[in-house]
Amino acid sequence: MEAHSSGLNRKRRREGPNGETENDERARKIPRRTSGLKEPAPFADQLEVVTTQYTRVSLDEARLGTPENRPVRVYADGIFDMFHSGHARALMQAKCLFPNTHLIVGVCSDDLTHKLKGFTVMNEDERYDAVSHCRYVDEVVRNAPWTLTPEFLAKHRIDFVAHDDIPYVSAESDDVYKHIKEAGMFAPTQRTEGISTSDIITRIVRDYDVYVRRNLQRGYTAKELNVSFINEKKYHLQERVDKVKQKVRDVEEKSKEFVQKVEEKSIDLIQKWEEKSREFIGNFLQMFGPDGALKHMLKEGKGRMLQAISPRHSPSSSPTREERSPSPVFRLPFFTKTSPPSSPPHYSDAHSISEDEDDTGTAAIVKTADNHSSGKRSR
């Protein structure tokens, strides 16, 4: 067992990020394989009788290993009621005591067990069958004796007896394995803590009402469960009450989930409302605040309105002679003979003449011409 367990882990050396070697322990995978056991262990009374002379194997010879055709025959006995993992572990330890082991398991009958130990949950046939299907068992002895006699040991050609080292008290002896220990044939095993037939029965007795109600639900009758009429009605009433309680619990859980969802949604709505309110307040202040956009718009509108309704201011002083634009020179067409311009004259903005000024100038020229002609006539 030690060699097998030590082979499950292996170390590998690998280079780390800095080039340093590191030890890496990883569990080695166990290869898949199918067990060779396909049938339960046979019963001793069904096997052929061996007539050859029997010679016991010493402890040193057994530890070194015996020939394949001569395994070390180890015997382990018990009641094995409600066969559990503690029983299986004890048989595994007995099987692995020596390299080459043939494990024989003796199971006591109901009569002997009820007389010397007490009532069992499983009957003897069920206990025989349960042990025969354990993978570590090679042979099963039915109706095993309470105390091992030399004749029984010789009949089954037993080399060693495996059992836990705690003294097993009986009505006839303080330790039924005392003579086996004195003969040097005892091989101790370790008990598995936390599990035993008595512990399992204690759990059932402690939760008796629960198991009775469960089996009543599954269709067992009160007579089969040895339950009275009153207790049967009591269990049915308890079952109904429990169903109502379960429904109330379900409603409470659903209501809690609903309230939790409402709270989550309300929190989300409050957060969204706060975000929207902050955004609204910020936009309002940007528009209507003391330095908001509306104030600037009103200032600009007021300035434009004042500019539109206020008259233009007259100049404080009249322009000088040099600043005035020169008056245009007009010539009558009948005093000078000039060819008409090919294109109309182009006047700048400073020398442009308005229509009123043109009419006034033309009238003055006509009046001067009339005066000039009248003067000639008077001469």
Side-chain angles (χ1 to χ4, degrees):
M1 287 297 292
E2 294 180 356
H4 179 70
S5 61
S6 61
L8 292 177
N9 296 331
R10 62 177 180 180
K11 293 184 178 181
R12 295 196 319 174
R13 297 177 65 85
R14 63 178 182 180
E15 293 185 357
N18 298 326
E20 299 176 357
T21 58
E22 299 176 354
N23 292 331
D24 183 19
E25 294 186 3
R26 293 185 181 181
R28 182 169 58 86
K29 298 285 187 179
I30 299 175
R32 295 178 182 270
R33 60 176 179 270
T34 304
S35 177
L37 300 176
K38 297 182 180 179
E39 295 179 357
F43 297 111
D45 52 5
Q46 296 176 345
L47 298 175
E48 297 179 356
V49 179
V50 180
T51 58
T52 58
Q53 186 178 0
Y54 164 65
T55 304
R56 282 190 62 247
V57 177
S58 65
L59 184 60
D60 294 335
E61 292 175 348
R63 289 176 176 174
L64 291 175
T66 57
E68 185 178 356
N69 58 353
R70 176 56 175 96
V72 180
R73 296 175 66 85
V74 178
Y75 178 80
D77 59 355
I79 308 302
F80 300 105
D81 190 20
M82 301 183 68
F83 192 85
H84 51 76
S85 62
H87 296 142
R89 288 175 179 273
L91 298 179
M92 180 185 68
Q93 294 179 52
K95 179 70 174 179
C96 299
L97 284 172
F98 308 107
N100 186 15
T101 304
H102 181 87
L103 181 59
I104 307 167
V105 180
V107 183
C108 300
S109 64
D110 287 345
D111 293 338
L112 187 62
T113 304
H114 297 168
K115 179 182 178 181
L116 299 177
K117 187 173 182 179
F119 189 73
T120 58
V121 178
M122 300 170 63
N123 58 43
E124 57 184 21
D125 293 330
E126 294 171 341
R127 293 185 285 112
Y128 296 155
D129 189 62
V131 173
S132 67
H133 283 83
C134 180
R135 62 186 299 180
Y136 310 111
V137 180
D138 298 308
E139 184 179 340
V140 178
V141 177
R142 294 182 286 192
N143 193 15
W146 197 261
T147 303
L148 302 178
T149 61
E151 293 77 16
F152 180 83
L153 297 174
K155 177 183 177 181
H156 294 280
R157 311 168 69 88
I158 297 171
D159 296 317
F160 297 95
V161 177
H163 202 274
D164 58 83
D165 201 11
I166 301 174
Y168 202 83
V169 181
S170 176
E172 300 176 356
S173 174
D174 295 337
D175 188 1
V176 295
Y177 298 103
K178 183 178 180 180
H179 63 289
I180 302 295
K181 295 176 181 177
E182 293 175 352
M185 297 176 62
F186 188 79
T189 57
Q190 299 294 327
R191 291 178 63 89
T192 302
E193 298 295 335
I195 185 169
S196 66
T197 303
S198 300
D199 293 338
I200 296 174
I201 294 174
T202 301
R203 298 176 197 174
I204 296 172
V205 173
R206 181 187 59 196
D207 300 327
Y208 171 78
D209 293 345
V210 176
Y211 292 115
V212 171
R213 287 165 53 188
R214 184 187 69 177
N215 288 340
L216 286 173
Q217 291 177 3
R218 292 183 175 182
Y220 288 90
T221 63
K223 185 178 180 180
E224 292 174 337
L225 298 173
N226 196 22
V227 176
S228 64
F229 177 79
I230 297 175
N231 288 334
E232 181 185 5
K233 299 303 179 184
K234 182 186 72 173
Y235 291 137
H236 285 304
L237 179 61
Q238 288 178 352
E239 186 64 29
R240 293 176 183 175
V241 171
D242 289 345
K243 286 183 179 179
V244 174
K245 289 181 179 179
Q246 186 63 36
K247 288 182 180 179
V248 172
R249 292 193 196 99
D250 295 339
V251 172
E252 288 179 354
E253 291 179 358
K254 290 181 180 180
S255 61
K256 288 179 181 178
E257 293 178 358
F258 177 75
V259 171
Q260 186 176 1
K261 290 181 180 179
V262 171
E263 289 179 354
E264 292 176 355
K265 289 184 178 180
S266 62
I267 291 171
D268 293 338
L269 290 175
I270 291 172
Q271 291 178 351
K272 290 180 180 179
W273 183 83
E274 288 179 351
E275 293 176 358
K276 292 293 183 182
S277 62
R278 291 193 191 99
E279 183 179 357
F280 176 78
I281 293 170
N283 295 334
F284 182 84
L285 293 175
Q286 288 180 0
M287 176 62 75
F288 301 100
D291 295 330
L294 183 62
K295 184 176 181 180
H296 294 291
M297 292 171 61
L298 293 174
K299 285 182 179 180
E300 292 179 358
K302 183 178 180 181
R304 291 177 181 176
M305 188 179 296
L306 292 174
Q307 186 178 2
I309 62 177
S310 61
R312 293 183 180 181
H313 297 285
S314 58
S316 58
S317 60
S318 59
T320 59
R321 187 179 186 86
E322 289 79 7
E323 292 177 354
R324 295 177 183 175
S325 58
S327 300
V329 177
F330 296 96
R331 294 181 180 180
L332 293 175
F334 48 84
F335 287 106
T336 58
K337 294 180 179 180
T338 58
S339 60
S342 59
S343 61
H346 178 71
Y347 297 100
S348 61
D349 294 337
H351 301 282
S352 61
I353 302 173
S354 63
E355 291 180 358
D356 295 337
E357 292 176 352
D358 189 9
D359 294 339
T360 306
T362 304
I365 293 169
V366 171
K367 186 177 180 180
T368 305
D370 293 338
N371 295 331
H372 182 68
S373 58
S374 63
K376 282 183 176 183
R377 291 191 191 105
S378 63
R379 286 179 185 177

